[in-house]
Amino acid sequence: MGSPHWKRLCLLLLAGLTSSLLLYGHYYATVESPTGRRIIASLLQPEPLVLASPGTSHQVSSRRWTPEGGSESKSFKPPAELEEPKPSRKQPSTCLRSVMARAKADPKFGEVFRFDTPVLMWDQHFTPETWERLKTRHVPYGWQGLSHTAVGSTLRLLNASANRHLFDRDTFPRGCVRCAVVGNGGILNGSRQGKAIDAHDLVFRINGAVIKGFEEDVGTKISFYGFTVNTMKNSLIAYEEYGFTQVPQGKDLRYIFIPSDIRDYVMLRSAIQGSPVLEGSDKGDKPQKYFGPEASAEKFKLLHPDFLQYLTARFLRSELLKTQYGSLYMPSTGALMLLTALHTCDQVSAYGFITANYKQFSDHYYEVEKKPLVFYANHDMMLEAALWRSLHRAGIITLYQR
C-alpha cells in the first residue's frame, strides 16, 4: 500500500483531471455540438434593453430565447441594466452606406444596435449618481470594490475634447471613415493583406500585435492599440520570442484602455501624469516605457463600463455566464475592439478573426510552427465567431476569410 501522502497526491491529480474533463465537456456541449450551434445562433436574437430615465430604476428583462423557441429565466452577471449616463452626442456622419445605416436596415440587428450608448468615459461622467449606480456592478461592467479616489482621480484627468470621441470626423473630409480591426489570428499568415489593411483610414490592433517581418500580411499602419493592462503585459511576456518586445508607439497613435480591473485605472492615471504607478500590483512601474515619454491625456481613451455591459448583454451573452466561470467571463479584447469600431466608424473590415475554418490555421499569424487555437474559460470564441459571420452576412462588416 502507498503512503498517505501518495494517496492524497493521486486524489488531487484525479480531481484535476475530472475538472478538466468537465470543462471540456461543457465546451463541447455548448459550442461544438449541433445543439450548441443552435444555442449560439439563438443568442444573436435581439433582447430587450431598457434605458431608464434619470431618477428611475428599471430592471431589464432576463428572458432569453432557447433553441426550442421558449424562454427561460437566467441571472446575468453583471445585471443587465443601463440607466445612466444620458445618450452621447456623437459627431454626425454623412456616409450613406455606413454601419449605422446598414444595421438599422437589417431586421435582426436593427433591434440589437443602440448607437446612442456612450462608447467612452471621461471626466463629466464621474458624478455622484454614476458612482452610486456603477459601484453595484463588478468590473469591467462597473466599479464594485474599486476605490472612489482611484477611479475619480483618473477620470478627472480625461478632460480634453479628444477623450470624448475616438477620432475627429473633421479630419476625414471624404465622408466615410473606413476602419480595419486587425486580430492576431493565424489566418493572416501568407494572406498578403497588408496593403488592403493600410488603405483604411484607421487601423486598430490589439495585444501581441507583431508587425516586423509580417508587413505584407498585416500592414504597418496603426491608429489605435487596444488592451487591458493584464493582456498588454502578458503579451509582452508570451510573444517576446516572436518579436513583440514593445507596445506600439507613435505620434498619432492612440491607446484604448479596457477597464477590466483597478490596475487599468491606476495605470491610466500614471500614464497621463507621466509618473510611476503609486499603488497596486503595478506599483513602481513606469508607463512611459509602454506609451512613450510624451504621452498626454489626448492620447488615451477609456471604454465606458456601460458600453461594455451593453456589448455583453446584447451581442455576446454567453452560455458560460451560467457556469462556475460566469463571474470571469467577458468578451475578448479583439471582440471589444471590433465592436468599438462598429459603433464609431462608418465602414469596418475585420482581419485575423476566428472563422469557420479556423482549424486550418495556427493560433497566431507569427508562429513558426502551427499551434491550435486555445479556448479559455473566460471567453466564448465560438459565440464571437458566430457573431462575426452574422454581421458579415448582413453586410455590416467585411470579415476576411480564406
Side-chain angles (χ1 to χ4, degrees):
M1 298 292 290
S3 68
H5 294 291
W6 175 250
K7 289 180 180 179
R8 282 197 293 269
L9 179 59
C10 289
L11 287 173
L12 286 172
L13 290 172
L14 181 60
L17 177 61
T18 302
S19 298
S20 298
L21 289 173
L22 286 172
L23 177 56
Y24 177 78
H26 167 73
Y27 164 75
Y28 184 85
T30 55
V31 300
E32 288 290 0
S33 68
T35 302
R37 294 190 185 101
R38 290 197 296 273
I39 291 173
I40 289 169
S42 75
L43 289 173
L44 296 180
Q45 295 290 336
E47 179 161 345
L49 188 66
V50 177
L51 287 172
S53 303
T56 64
S57 177
H58 294 298
Q59 293 293 327
V60 174
S61 168
S62 61
R63 184 172 61 91
R64 62 171 288 275
W65 295 105
T66 61
E68 293 72 32
S71 64
E72 65 180 32
S73 175
K74 74 189 284 280
S75 107
F76 172 60
K77 302 173 185 178
E81 63 177 31
L82 270 175
E83 301 167 5
E84 284 282 346
K86 296 178 181 179
S88 61
R89 296 190 299 273
K90 297 190 176 181
Q91 295 172 297
S93 170
T94 58
C95 184
L96 298 179
R97 298 177 62 82
S98 65
V99 167
M100 183 183 294
R102 289 173 178 267
K104 288 183 176 180
D106 186 85
K108 177 171 63 177
F109 285 110
E111 297 297 322
V112 178
F113 277 88
R114 291 201 63 126
F115 290 98
D116 59 353
T117 303
V119 175
L120 302 177
M121 174 163 269
W122 43 289
D123 66 332
Q124 290 187 23
H125 285 150
F126 192 66
T127 63
E129 294 77 16
T130 302
W131 170 259
E132 289 300 316
R133 182 172 57 82
L134 292 185
K135 75 176 185 180
T136 63
R137 301 190 202 147
H138 67 72
V139 288
Y141 312 101
W143 297 328
Q144 189 178 82
L146 303 189
S147 161
H148 181 281
T149 300
V151 174
S153 61
T154 298
L155 293 181
R156 291 188 187 100
L157 296 174
L158 297 173
N159 52 22
S161 59
N163 302 132
R164 306 181 188 184
H165 307 288
L166 208 61
F167 55 86
D168 185 357
R169 284 193 169 275
D170 293 338
T171 61
F172 300 96
R174 291 187 301 168
C176 292
V177 180
R178 299 175 62 244
C179 296
V181 185
V182 185
N184 301 323
I187 191 173
L188 287 176
N189 190 300
S191 66
R192 295 185 174 273
Q193 292 299 304
K195 289 184 178 179
I197 291 171
D198 287 347
H200 289 76
D201 297 307
L202 299 168
V203 178
F204 295 68
R205 298 184 192 269
I206 59 171
N207 297 337
V210 179
I211 292 178
K212 187 176 181 180
F214 297 92
E215 293 87 349
E216 284 192 358
D217 293 335
V218 303
T220 60
K221 189 173 184 176
I222 176 167
S223 312
F224 299 103
Y225 177 72
F227 61 97
T228 69
V229 171
N230 184 59
T231 62
M232 177 187 73
K233 289 196 168 185
N234 285 345
S235 295
L236 287 168
I237 296 171
Y239 309 125
E240 180 182 11
E241 62 178 299
Y242 302 113
F244 189 71
T245 58
Q246 185 182 52
V247 172
Q249 295 181 11
K251 179 183 176 182
D252 298 323
L253 174 60
R254 300 294 181 260
Y255 299 100
I256 303 176
F257 271 76
I258 300 169
S260 68
D261 192 79
I262 185 61
R263 65 193 301 204
D264 296 291
Y265 292 95
V266 173
M267 178 68 77
L268 175 56
R269 180 183 64 197
S270 294
I272 295 174
Q273 293 176 332
S275 61
V277 177
L278 299 178
E279 59 185 292
S281 58
D282 301 301
K283 185 176 181 179
D285 205 356
K286 297 180 179 179
Q288 296 95 325
K289 71 181 180 182
Y290 305 116
F291 314 117
E294 299 178 359
S296 61
E298 288 78 7
K299 289 186 74 72
F300 299 103
K301 318 287 182 177
L302 178 68
L303 293 187
H304 200 299
D306 277 343
F307 182 62
L308 298 177
Q309 172 147 317
Y310 151 76
L311 296 182
T312 304
R314 291 210 146 204
F315 293 90
L316 292 169
R317 183 187 287 265
S318 173
E319 290 290 291
L320 292 174
L321 287 162
K322 297 195 296 184
T323 73
Q324 60 181 313
Y325 305 101
S327 61
L328 300 176
Y329 171 77
M330 67 179 288
S332 69
T333 306
L336 293 175
M337 285 302 100
L338 183 48
L339 288 166
T340 296
L342 281 168
H343 285 77
T344 51
C345 304
D346 292 319
Q347 296 170 358
V348 177
S349 302
Y351 297 86
F353 282 78
I354 185 171
T355 54
N357 60 341
Y358 70 91
K359 292 182 180 179
Q360 296 180 19
F361 311 104
S362 190
D363 193 354
H364 303 100
Y365 63 80
Y366 36 78
E367 289 158 345
V368 178
E369 296 182 2
K370 182 179 178 182
K371 296 183 179 181
L373 180 64
V374 179
F375 294 91
Y376 296 100
N378 62 328
H379 299 316
D380 193 336
M381 303 305 291
M382 290 295 98
L383 177 58
E384 293 181 9
L387 176 60
W388 312 146
R389 290 195 297 272
S390 292
L391 288 166
H392 177 77
R393 285 195 295 267
I396 297 172
I397 66 170
T398 300
L399 176 65
Y400 174 70
Q401 304 177 77
R402 292 170 69 179

